[in-house]
Amino acid sequence: MNHNVMERLHALLTELSLVQADALLEGALERAAKEEPAYPDFLLELLSMEKEFRTSRILQTRTRMANLPYLKTLAQFDFSFQPSVDERQVRDLQTLRFVSDYGNVILLGPPGVGKTHLAVGLAIEAMRGGFGAYFATANDLINDLGKAAREGRLEHRMRLYTRPKVLVIDEVGYLPLDPVGATVFFQLVSARYERGSIILTSNKSYTDWGTVFGDQTIAAAILDRLLHHATTVNIRGESYRLKDRKKAGLFSTAPPAQAEDALKRNVTFESPGKEAAHAARA
Ligand code: ADP
Ligand code: MG
């Protein structure tokens, strides 16, 4: 192969930012010399490799920016372990129609049943589908927005949470909110209403939201907007975190006194795994 031509080719690919085509050129040419594909096929192969690389790089960047607590996909979710999760419903959400329709997804259930996993999995699907996503715990989000409100830059800070097409708000209800927290949360939900999707997880059923937000009226206003276009996934099962420990016999009898205490303070769902799940958190 003409050395001069190769040099010029590499220079051009670099100038055009076709990084992957540049890196894989020699290999692709060697294969082509053996297999003798038609010219369009060769070009198609080279450009497809470039495209694939770019897609995965964009996804990597998006994923880095999304602030996910861990990388777990829907493919890694074991539906057989959690029969209360309707696999068809999740597969339907996976089509991302809810994102195009600015719909919300609410995942409810006790600790350890896979709420965050499903929320993260759906956020990853959304990013694969070309949408931006951002993950925050309710606590972090409210602290952040509350601080911004005190410093007079709420509107600016709010953009971090309104810009992405998909916003995950994890663990609503673990901690009760003060009036400022409840107000900024309401403002956020209103700002995203019919403009972007929220995937929300909570250990509290809707009837307990008045207590969470410290005010029935504001809780009703939040729920009204959240639930207008929403899919609720109610998970009533065992904690996945505990399944191995259970196997080892650690939780075969009553939960430790400390966990019982926590249970009394934080009564949530009826589920066979409840005590064990709380014990795991305690
Ligand atoms: P929570 O409901 O408290 O948000 P998570 O979604 O964080 O619970 O789940 C706890 C851990 O168990 C995570 O590591 C998650 O990946 C795993 N997990 C939960 N449910 C399943 C499941 N059905 N299949 C596979 N892993 C699961
Ligand atoms: Mg969680």
Side-chain angles (χ1 to χ4, degrees), residues 63-79:
T63 309
R64 227 184 9 253
M65 310 266 289
N67 193 35
L68 300 176
Y70 50 67
L71 286 178
K72 291 270 175 91
T73 61
L74 294 181
Q76 288 168 281
F77 193 83
D78 178 1
F79 287 91

Side-chain angles (χ1 to χ4, degrees), residues 70 111-112 114-117 135 170-171 174 201 241 281:
Y70 50 67
K115 301 182 298 297
T116 304
H117 184 142
F135 180 104
D170 198 29
E171 301 191 341
Y174 278 110
T201 82
R241 291 193 189 101
R281 286 213 149 224

Side-chain angles (χ1 to χ4, degrees), residues 8-9 33 53 60 64 67 94 105 126 130 144 146 160 167 190 198 211 232 235 251 261 270:
R8 284 173 59 197
L9 254 177
F53 171 75
Q60 265 176 21
R64 227 184 9 253
N67 193 35
Q94 199 171 355
V105 180
D144 186 38
L160 173 65
L167 176 69
S190 299
I198 292 176
T211 319
T232 300
I235 316 178
F251 289 101
D261 254 18
E270 291 312 317

Side-chain angles (χ1 to χ4, degrees), residues 249-260 263 275-276 279:
L250 271 175
F251 289 101
S252 52
T253 53
Q258 191 192 3
E260 289 217 81
L263 259 177
E275 290 86 347

Side-chain angles (χ1 to χ4, degrees), residues 13-278:
L13 291 171
T14 307
E15 198 181 322
L16 295 169
S17 305
L18 297 168
V19 183
Q20 190 69 345
D22 184 39
L24 299 179
L25 184 63
E26 267 78 9
L29 285 171
E30 260 171 47
R31 266 198 313 282
K34 274 194 220 119
E35 294 165 16
E36 300 182 349
Y39 296 131
D41 289 338
F42 172 75
L43 202 55
L44 184 68
E45 185 200 336
L46 196 66
L47 293 179
S48 300
M49 288 190 299
E50 177 69 34
K51 170 78 177 135
E52 214 171 284
F53 171 75
R54 281 194 191 189
T55 308
S56 85
R57 203 173 46 176
I58 291 170
L59 186 62
Q60 265 176 21
T61 311
R62 280 223 172 101
T63 309
R64 227 184 9 253
M65 310 266 289
N67 193 35
L68 300 176
Y70 50 67
L71 286 178
K72 291 270 175 91
T73 61
L74 294 181
Q76 288 168 281
F77 193 83
D78 178 1
F79 287 91
S80 68
F81 181 80
Q82 211 58 269
S84 69
V85 178
D86 180 357
E87 183 170 354
R88 269 179 323 179
Q89 191 181 32
V90 176
R91 297 288 169 230
D92 187 51
L93 293 170
Q94 199 171 355
T95 65
L96 302 179
R97 218 178 18 240
F98 79 97
V99 182
S100 313
D101 295 346
Y102 312 122
N104 301 322
V105 180
I106 321 284
L107 299 148
L108 300 177
V113 293
K115 301 182 298 297
T116 304
H117 184 142
L118 288 172
V120 166
L122 285 171
I124 292 174
E125 286 304 320
M127 290 188 279
R128 281 181 182 157
F131 299 106
Y134 192 76
F135 180 104
T137 64
N139 202 30
D140 287 351
L141 178 151
I142 283 160
N143 284 341
D144 186 38
L145 288 179
K147 183 163 174 277
R150 280 195 303 281
E151 293 168 359
R153 44 180 193 83
L154 179 61
E155 201 179 319
H156 181 256
R157 192 60 184 169
M158 195 65 112
R159 277 185 227 150
L160 173 65
Y161 304 104
T162 51
R163 204 180 305 125
K165 275 278 181 239
V166 172
L167 176 69
V168 180
I169 309 178
D170 198 29
E171 301 191 341
V172 172
Y174 278 110
L175 299 171
L177 302 183
D178 64 13
V180 175
T183 308
V184 292
F185 194 88
F186 170 72
Q187 281 173 285
L188 174 62
V189 170
S190 299
R192 291 192 66 88
Y193 177 64
E194 296 190 334
R195 279 187 219 131
S197 297
I198 292 176
I199 302 175
L200 184 148
T201 82
S202 179
N203 63 332
K204 297 280 196 292
S205 61
Y206 295 131
T207 47
D208 292 331
W209 280 37
T211 319
V212 171
F213 289 96
D215 182 318
Q216 294 292 348
T217 316
I218 210 161
I222 290 168
L223 280 175
D224 187 48
R225 282 157 184 78
L226 264 183
L227 299 183
H228 187 192
H229 313 283
T231 305
T232 300
V233 182
N234 235 315
I235 316 178
R236 284 185 213 84
E238 296 242 1
S239 165
Y240 195 85
R241 291 193 189 101
L242 283 184
K243 90 181 155 100
D244 296 331
R245 270 181 276 177
K246 267 202 162 169
K247 257 191 230 150
L250 271 175
F251 289 101
S252 52
T253 53
Q258 191 192 3
E260 289 217 81
D261 254 18
L263 259 177
K264 277 180 208 138
R265 276 183 271 114
N266 188 10
V267 177
T268 55
F269 288 91
E270 291 312 317
S271 105
K274 187 171 67 173
E275 290 86 347
H278 277 283

